[in-house]
Every structure is written in structure tokens, then in C-alpha cells.
Amino acid sequence: MSRIKITDTSLRDGHQSLWATRMATEDMLPILENLDDVGYHSMEVWGGATFDVCIRYLNEDPWERLRSIRKQVKKTKLQMLLRGQSLVGYSHYPDDIVYRFVEKSAENGIDIIRVFDALNDIRNLEVPLKAIKATGKHAQACVVYTISPVHTMDHFVETALRLREMGADSICIKDMAGLLSPYKAYDLVTELKKNLDVPIQLHTHYIGGMAIAALLKAVEAGVDIIDTASVPMAFGSSQPPVETIVRALQDSDRDSGLELHKLFDIATHFEEIRKHKGFERGVTRINDMKVFEHQVPGGMISNLLSQLEEQKALHRVDEVMAEIPYVRADLGYPPLVTPTSQIIAIQAVLNVLMGGRYKLCPGEVKDYVRGLYGKPPVSISDEIRHKIIGDEEIITVRPADLLEPGWEKAKQEVAEWAESDEDVLTYVLFPQVALKYFGWRKSKGLEDASLINKGEYLTVDMYQPENAAVNRLAGPKRNIHRRDEEMNFEEIKELILLLDKSSLAELEMQSDEFRLSLRKSVSNTRVTVTGDNDLPISSPAPTAVNEPENIVEVTAPMVGTFYAAPSPDAQPFVKVGDKVTAGQTLCIVEAMKLMNEIKAEVSGLITDAPILNGEPVEYGQILFVIEKE
Ligand code: CO
């Protein structure tokens, strides 16, 4: 028997599963050479949530991360995870975008692209596989593993065979929720090896504790490659630790040949990062082990907990977990993996928070029911379908067949901001977040330049969220802050007056020490200054006092980000002075990475709309005031 090959997931799935993908590139760079020297089959370093988190939370360019990793990893193949036609996002993209994205991923340094479709709907993998083959890189296609009445051994083997026919260079069993029992792993690998002529890889999650045994049984059955992570990023909802697997196999004919002392050096580096940044260890709690009941995948559990915490509803986690299997059955037993895991989870959260099933359904849930993500493993009943999308028809074609080409349009839309084709792709994937990031990048550049060149002044930029354009102040540069002085409140006041007089809606400045953000709203101008201590200095949101009975306040049903329009370049859904009818969409609140349309419950006149586009909202915060007809 040949040596087992190992893929290291530390820089993608490992920290995605345990640290909410928050490891920064600077934490990775010092250890890349060591990782490269281990003799791994490949290193999974990109895709999945890394792309989104880079621009949303880390102010990093994900493409730049990939290039810096590639620069230092010279021997080991770099691997990424692609969500089929959804790429690294959450909805399907047009075929031309898929081709471009894959081409650019290869160009920036990826050798192996692992691709899956959440529903195992292989129609959704046709174009991604063609795109990968066109680059000449290795195309690994996934069979997504889950347990349900329809996910039989025949289904998995049949899916794998068809993916092989479509050009897959290897097949990965993707057990994202750690559901694969050791003996099932043995049988599944045996069947796949019997039927296929390409390497088989096993990707599993530790969560309930079966993964080490599952890997060993899979190795026994002849699996070619397995996924593990460095121990500070192993266990819990992540992969099993490489150290344990390497040692366990040393006494077998499948010895990996990897050296433990090299692995421990790497683990020591990651452990220091973990301690320094306060990241969690992978542990398994009773709740985690209930994965055997609810099947929620690793990454999703930590997300769900932090989202519930944000919604101040952490105490309802058991109810949400109990609701998940019902929603999953109602929606045709999709495997729980991005994006279906989010779709099922948010619907379960909403069913619990709203005190009834399907009272509020996010756009993504509706799209799923419409068939826009592909075909659910089991057809959704008429009753459930009607509750969620009414009398609308469902589609039966490959979802991306309905999409217009997107590249040229996006390129034009973001022309002012994009510095490369990679930027255009970032924009296509996450339009709102990308514009924020590009704005930050631009202002950072200006600020850095002025600080470095002149040594003492910061530059202030005017930022209009409505059309996402940054306009430099007309006339001479307005320098407002000497670097060595404390923030002067008279100066802030002056800025507020300036903003009030201008036609602009928002003003932001950022320095090493603090971030100043001024936003104009209908009723007041809000100021936040955050520094090292994140101290807000003034103006909380307005609170309502004894509103008359015909006044209805529309409040945020969840913590999230407020969007006034369906897309950055579109008109707002409504504005002050508009008449609305019950059921009309007022805005979108993005929460748990999903867009939730908020609708008017009564007809009437919009008299206030205090929240600005792109602004974060708290649970219960007033979004609109409607004067009932
Ligand atoms: Co995974």
C-alpha cells in the first residue's frame, strides 16, 4: 500500500471552523516556509469564507493574501474551496463570472480547486468544472455527505461517477458536519475505489469525535488523501489534528512519512497566535455532539451562536437547534453546508424568534424554494411552498441559465474603484462590502500618503453612501487634525456643521489612533469616534416618546446591516414622503450573511427614515415611522 497523503487545512477550514476565519495574513506569513517544508500533499489556504472575511472584517485584499502565500510556498500545492456556481459567495453567479474567477484564482497561485454543490445538483458543477479544466489546474469534485432518507450509498456513488464523467481529476467525500461514522467511511471509500479510477480524498470534521476513527477506517479502505489541521486549530468543529493521525499511521503500511518535530514547530506558532488573539480551542460540548441529531456543520455552529448572541437570543439556542430538522425536512432534506446551512439556520432562527413558522422568510429562503439554488433532494410540498412563495412557479432549468452575463456590467459599475480584474470580481461577489472596502483602501492610501509625506496632517474625505463615491472636498485640502494632538471636540463640532451644510451624507476619517465617522440622518447627525477603547462619544439613536396611535414604528427584527435599496446603484425602496401599502418592501436588513426584506405591516405615509444605507442596526431599532392611513 502506498503512503497516505495529507492536506493541511489550517489556513482555511481550520481557522474558519474555530476562529471564525479571523487569522490575518500577517499571522500566516512567518510559518509558511515551515508548512511548505512538511511534505504535505497540499495546503488549503483560500476560498470558502476566507474571501468574505478578508474584506468584511480584516480590511485585507483576499487576492493579495493568496499572492503572498504563493510567493513563500514554493513546493507544496495550494488548494482552495469553491462553492460551485456560487464561487466564494452565497448565490449563483453567471457563467462568465465563474470562468473569470476560476481563471484569476489559478493565475494568482491556486493549483487544486475543490468544488462542491450544496445540493449535490451536478448541473451546478458543469461550468465550474469546465472552467477549472480550461486553466489546466487540478479539478477535485465533491460528493457532499449527509444523512437523510434519500442520501443512500447508490446516490453517492452515482454522483461521483457523473462528476468523473464531467472531468473531475479526483473525488472528495465532503463530510462538513462530522456525520460520517467510521464504518460508513470504510464502506463509502470501498465503493468509490471500486467504481472510480481517480484518487479519493476524505474531508471530515471532528465535532462529535468520530473523525479520527473515520479517517483511520477510510485509510484502511484505501482512501488516497485525508484532511487534517495543526493541533491548535484541530478538534471541536474543525478537522482532526495532523499530529495524532501521523503518529497513529506510523505503525501501519500507510505511514505518511511526515516528521512530528516539524509539525510541533508549526503547532507552537499557531498556539502563540491563538493565545495572543484570544481565539478558542477546539472542544466538543454536549451541544456539539447533538450534531448526530441536527446535522449542523462545524463552521455554522460557531456562527449560529455568535449570531444568536448578537440578537440577544443565545438562551434560545436549544429551540433553534430543535427547529432545524423540521425546517430541513420541510425544505426537502438539503445537506447542511454553505449556503444551505445558512438558509436552513436563519429560517429556523426566524421561526423561533417570530413565534411561528415561515412568518418572515429571507430572500434567500424564497430563492431556494423557487429552485434558484438547484433541485432540492426531495421536492418541497405544495403547502410549504405556498407558505413561502405563494403562487409563484418554481424553475426547473439549471439556475445559472437564467442569469445574464455579469462581467461587463460589473466592470462599468465599479470602474471608478477597481484597480484590477480581481477587484471587479470582489465587487461582483460582495458589492456592498467591496465598495466599503475599496473606500477604506482609498482613504487609507490618502491618509498614509499625507501622514508619511507631511508628517502631521490627516486628510478628510467626504463619502456619499448613496452612490458610493468619494469626493474630495472642493478647494484646498482640509486638514483637521495634527497627529500629535488629542482629538479636539471643537473640531468635531465644526465638522458636524460642515456636514450639515453640505449635500453629503457621511464623512469618515481614520488614523492609527481612532476612526471618526459622521453620518447625517433625517432627525440628527450622529457621531461616533472609536479608538483603542471603542468609546462612542455622543448621540445615541433617537428614542420614541408617547407616539400617537396612528403612528407605527417599523423596527429591526434582528441585529444587522441596513440597506435602503436592493443594490448599490438602485433607487431606495422608499423615502420620507412616500405612500406605502401593507406588504410593500421597505428595506433590507442583512443578518447572518443573508438579505432579509423588511415589509410594511400597515399602509400609510413614511414620515421618518432615520437609518442610512449601510448603517448597522440593533435589534428593535426604529427603521421607519409610518403614519397610518
Ligand atoms: Co470543511
Side-chain angles (χ1 to χ4, degrees):
M1 283 283 239
S2 57
R3 284 191 189 284
I4 188 73
K5 294 176 184 167
I6 299 184
T7 292
D8 173 61
T9 66
S10 306
L11 302 186
R12 204 287 296 176
D13 207 358
H15 77 121
Q16 178 172 329
S17 298
L18 294 184
W19 302 348
T21 333
R22 295 299 200 276
M23 189 166 28
T25 304
E26 60 177 15
D27 300 329
M28 302 174 180
L29 294 177
I31 203 68
L32 290 176
E33 217 173 286
N34 299 54
L35 281 163
D36 194 20
D37 193 43
V38 168
Y40 280 121
H41 164 73
S42 64
M43 289 162 58
E44 191 194 42
V45 298
W46 212 61
T50 53
F51 200 98
D52 184 8
V53 170
C54 273
I55 51 169
R56 198 184 289 264
Y57 302 111
L58 301 177
N59 275 336
E60 272 193 37
D61 183 346
W63 299 96
E64 187 54 44
R65 170 180 293 185
L66 176 55
R67 286 190 293 270
S68 2
I69 294 175
R70 178 77 283 174
K71 215 187 253 173
Q72 294 203 45
V73 178
K74 300 189 170 91
K75 298 181 277 188
T76 313
K77 290 184 182 119
L78 295 184
Q79 183 168 327
M80 73 169 291
L81 181 68
L82 195 74
R83 296 166 179 158
Q85 198 79 25
S86 306
L87 303 175
V88 293
Y90 304 100
S91 59
H92 285 202
Y93 296 98
D95 294 341
D96 63 334
I97 298 293
V98 173
Y99 276 102
R100 295 248 177 200
F101 186 86
V102 168
E103 189 191 317
K104 286 289 163 194
S105 304
E107 222 178 277
N108 281 275
I110 293 291
D111 302 298
I112 301 173
I113 301 184
R114 174 181 289 174
V115 61
F116 75 94
D117 178 70
L119 298 172
N120 277 338
D121 184 342
I122 59 165
R123 298 172 308 165
N124 291 332
L125 296 178
E126 281 166 19
V127 171
L129 280 172
K130 274 187 199 158
I132 301 166
K133 299 300 279 184
T135 64
K137 301 293 180 182
H138 183 107
Q140 180 174 78
C142 291
V143 172
V144 170
Y145 181 78
T146 190
I147 298 171
S148 89
V150 289
H151 290 92
T152 59
M153 189 66 81
D154 284 348
H155 164 87
F156 296 127
V157 173
E158 183 57 28
T159 305
L161 280 169
R162 292 175 69 184
L163 292 169
R164 173 70 186 114
E165 280 163 27
M166 287 158 64
D169 298 308
S170 62
I171 296 292
C172 173
I173 302 165
K174 183 175 166 65
D175 172 31
M176 60 284 158
L179 295 170
L180 187 61
S181 70
Y183 295 92
K184 195 63 124 191
Y186 185 89
D187 292 346
L188 189 52
V189 170
T190 303
E191 283 303 306
L192 291 176
K193 287 299 286 181
K194 211 189 298 175
N195 285 283
L196 289 138
D197 57 351
V198 291
I200 307 295
Q201 183 155 6
L202 176 55
H203 174 84
T204 180
H205 285 254
Y206 182 85
I207 195 64
M210 292 196 291
I212 294 177
L215 287 185
L216 294 182
K217 288 302 282 184
V219 169
E220 233 177 273
V223 79
D224 299 275
I225 316 155
I226 52 175
D227 287 9
T228 61
S230 182
V231 59
M233 269 171 287
F235 296 111
S237 52
S238 181
Q239 271 73 58
V242 63
E243 298 81 359
T244 308
I245 297 294
V246 165
R247 175 64 193 99
L249 291 171
Q250 277 173 349
D251 299 332
S252 79
D253 57 0
R254 302 292 313 271
D255 181 4
S256 68
L258 305 193
E259 294 169 55
L260 282 168
H261 73 95
K262 291 184 179 176
L263 298 173
F264 287 129
D265 285 348
I266 292 166
T268 305
H269 168 80
F270 287 131
E271 180 65 6
E272 273 162 22
I273 303 279
R274 191 191 70 73
K275 283 187 191 152
H276 180 68
K277 298 216 163 169
F279 292 142
E280 297 221 3
R281 267 181 215 288
V283 292
T284 294
R285 302 174 184 88
I286 301 171
N287 250 338
D288 301 324
M289 207 171 269
K290 287 186 184 164
V291 69
F292 304 145
E293 283 176 355
H294 58 57
Q295 308 192 358
V296 181
M300 195 55 214
I301 295 172
S302 50
N303 255 338
L304 190 67
L305 290 176
S306 69
Q307 295 292 351
L308 278 173
E309 196 169 9
E310 255 179 61
Q311 304 296 335
K312 300 186 173 61
L314 200 54
H315 59 288
R316 307 194 70 175
V317 64
D318 286 345
E319 286 169 81
V320 173
M321 287 300 190
E323 179 67 10
I324 285 173
Y326 284 98
V327 176
R328 183 170 179 244
D330 281 351
L331 297 186
Y333 293 106
L336 294 182
V337 60
T338 304
T340 43
S341 53
Q342 280 90 336
I343 288 174
I344 300 292
I346 195 172
Q347 192 59 62
V349 168
L350 290 175
N351 287 357
V352 169
L353 292 185
M354 304 297 285
R357 286 188 178 141
Y358 313 109
K359 278 186 177 171
L360 179 63
C361 299
E364 280 79 356
V365 172
K366 290 181 183 171
D367 283 350
Y368 170 85
V369 174
R370 288 177 186 123
L372 292 172
Y373 288 90
K375 204 166 152 341
V378 176
S379 299
I380 298 168
S381 76
D382 289 345
E383 188 204 339
I384 298 294
R385 190 183 76 195
H386 193 84
K387 272 190 188 164
I388 297 173
I389 58 169
D391 293 328
E392 275 185 57
E393 288 290 309
I394 56 169
I395 68 146
T396 52
V397 295
R398 185 184 72 111
D401 285 339
L402 303 173
L403 302 173
E404 294 291 325
W407 177 256
E408 290 303 330
K409 184 172 167 273
K411 204 174 164 180
Q412 273 171 24
E413 277 173 14
V414 76
E416 192 187 335
W417 294 92
E419 293 165 10
S420 62
D421 285 358
E422 283 83 349
D423 279 351
V424 179
L425 289 164
T426 304
Y427 169 76
V428 171
L429 285 159
F430 301 101
Q432 317 254 14
V433 190
L435 287 174
K436 257 192 199 167
Y437 168 73
F438 294 150
W440 175 84
R441 185 174 67 182
K442 201 163 182 171
S443 67
K444 179 175 170 276
L446 290 168
E447 173 200 300
D448 285 352
S450 60
L451 277 178
I452 292 161
N453 297 335
K454 301 188 191 88
E456 52 183 354
Y457 291 120
L458 292 174
T459 307
V460 178
D461 283 303
M462 289 298 195
Y463 175 59
Q464 277 181 300
E466 290 94 332
N467 56 16
V470 162
N471 298 329
R472 303 292 301 275
L473 272 175
K477 255 192 216 166
R478 189 169 175 81
N479 299 312
I480 62 137
H481 177 56
R482 277 177 182 276
R483 196 187 190 185
D484 53 0
E485 284 171 3
E486 288 294 315
M487 190 67 197
N488 181 329
F489 288 87
E490 282 306 308
E491 285 177 339
I492 298 181
K493 221 168 88 185
E494 196 190 318
L495 281 172
I496 294 172
L497 292 173
L498 187 75
L499 184 64
D500 272 346
K501 272 185 273 175
S502 75
S503 63
L504 300 166
E506 182 171 342
L507 184 151
E508 272 199 50
M509 60 176 282
Q510 196 171 1
S511 76
D512 292 345
E513 295 84 24
F514 63 87
R515 180 194 187 96
L516 169 66
S517 149
L518 302 178
R519 291 188 172 112
K520 194 154 64 179
S521 79
V522 174
S523 47
N524 64 346
T525 296
R526 251 175 255 171
V527 183
T528 29
V529 175
T530 47
D532 286 343
N533 301 316
D534 273 8
L535 291 173
I537 59 158
S538 72
S539 289
T543 45
V545 277
N546 293 333
E547 297 289 2
E549 267 171 30
N550 64 328
I551 299 295
V552 175
E553 286 164 351
V554 181
T555 57
M558 62 203 82
V559 180
T561 306
F562 174 91
Y563 292 113
S567 64
D569 53 341
Q571 290 297 312
F573 292 107
V574 293
K575 53 187 185 317
V576 172
D578 282 358
K579 276 216 163 115
V580 294
T581 51
Q584 188 178 337
T585 300
L586 300 173
C587 67
I588 289 169
V589 173
E590 184 190 19
M592 291 170 250
K593 294 177 186 161
L594 295 175
M595 299 293 183
N596 307 288
E597 287 186 10
I598 308 298
K599 294 181 165 33
E601 285 195 0
V602 297
S603 303
L605 185 76
I606 304 273
T607 56
D608 195 10
I611 315 289
L612 286 165
N613 194 34
E615 206 168 32
V617 287
E618 286 295 318
Y619 174 78
Q621 195 170 345
I622 298 164
L623 307 176
F624 295 96
V625 178
I626 300 177
E627 205 179 296
K628 264 199 285 188
E629 270 178 345

